[in-house]
Amino acid sequence: MDLNSDLGEGFGQWTLGDDDALLGVVTSANVACGFHAGDPVILRRVCDRAASAGVAVGAQVGYRDLAGFGRRFLDVEPDALTQDVLYQVGALEAFARVAGTRVRYVKPHGALYNAIVAHEEQAAAVVRAVVEYDRTLPVLGLPGSAFLRLAAEAGLTVVAEAFADRAYTPEGTLVPRRLPGAVLHDADGIARRCVAMATGEPVDDVDGGRLRLAPDSICVHGDTPGAVAIARRVREALTGAGIDLAPFAP
């Protein structure tokens, strides 16, 4: 099982999350590429430290929305979105190469991630960017999404993701952050949930039903209160259950 987290999400003097601590926990780092968060100094530092820690570097691409942290839907024309994604992956690739590694996968961020669950044109635009840049790059996304379907049809390697600390609808989509209970905070409960996901057991959806996710990678968010402690508890629980942790894109 892969354990991933969103890193590099500060900007200038603004710090968000503890990148160094999380790099000691996760196996893959979704690094902000400057559009929703991150700046050149931060990208360089995270890539350097990820390479030293043996953590796979992935490009977390998003809408051009620093003020909204990429969590607001933008009605971007598909061609412009393709170029935006290419721009972001290329920027991170430069810092990754200088650090002695490379970008190993692509994961959309925030509102873009949620939009391309169903937004066919934007999903196709992101897929097109990855195909044009490097069709050997896997893409990380929500099972059942238009994004992963179109990526598979284009010949890309698709990686199914689940979220350790997010509530799910009965349909297997994420409960919007604006709704109560969308983000989970109990470390022990989150850890038990992740073990269930990793072993193919069902977890509770927001309505109390049972949902089977079967992910290839589990995301632990780095920007929530107690994020590092939660991530460490998840890792301990997974390894304690005999589950080996390794990057899906070494």
Side-chain angles (χ1 to χ4, degrees):
M1 177 61 64
D2 176 68
L3 195 60
N4 77 75
S5 189
D6 303 344
L7 302 180
E9 292 189 317
F11 189 80
Q13 295 301 307
W14 177 50
T15 300
L16 181 67
D18 189 338
D19 291 343
D20 289 350
L22 285 167
L23 284 169
V25 178
V26 300
T27 52
S28 296
N30 318 313
V31 184
C33 299
F35 271 32
H36 76 276
D39 61 38
V41 172
I42 291 173
L43 269 63
R44 174 67 187 266
R45 182 174 67 244
V46 174
C47 286
D48 284 347
R49 294 176 183 177
S52 296
V55 173
V57 171
Q60 189 170 37
V61 298
Y63 291 129
R64 191 188 298 266
D65 181 28
L66 279 174
F69 195 62
R71 287 181 176 163
R72 303 179 293 191
F73 172 74
L74 297 183
D75 190 14
V76 184
E77 293 181 359
D79 183 65
L81 182 57
T82 295
Q83 312 321 321
D84 281 352
V85 171
L86 279 169
Y87 185 101
Q88 292 174 81
V89 177
L92 186 64
E93 184 73 64
F95 292 109
R97 288 189 178 185
V98 169
T101 184
R102 61 182 177 86
V103 170
R104 299 183 184 277
Y105 64 94
V106 174
K107 173 186 172 178
H109 165 80
L112 178 59
Y113 186 102
N114 290 323
I116 60 179
V117 170
H119 197 302
E120 296 274 338
E121 287 188 332
Q122 289 200 357
V126 177
V127 169
R128 185 163 58 251
V130 179
V131 168
E132 290 180 351
Y133 182 78
D134 181 354
R135 62 172 54 250
T136 69
L137 287 180
V139 294
L140 186 59
L142 196 72
S145 63
F147 175 53
L148 290 194
R149 172 175 53 78
L150 292 173
E153 290 174 0
L156 299 178
T157 299
V158 299
V159 182
E161 180 178 37
F163 289 82
D165 52 2
R166 291 292 306 276
Y168 280 87
T169 69
E171 294 74 33
T173 58
L174 299 178
V175 174
R177 282 180 175 268
R178 67 179 180 276
L179 298 180
V183 180
L184 310 179
H185 299 284
D186 177 62
D188 289 337
I190 291 170
R192 288 192 297 272
R193 190 171 183 254
C194 289
V195 171
M197 292 176 183
T199 56
E201 296 298 321
V203 298
D204 289 339
D205 64 40
V206 71
D207 291 339
R210 302 292 279 167
L211 184 67
R212 199 179 303 272
L213 297 172
D216 302 305
S217 182
I218 296 174
C219 178
V220 287
H221 280 104
D223 61 344
T224 53
V228 174
I230 291 172
R232 287 174 176 155
R233 184 70 190 91
V234 168
R235 184 181 179 101
E236 290 168 359
L238 290 171
T239 56
I243 299 164
D244 293 330
L245 297 179
F248 64 83

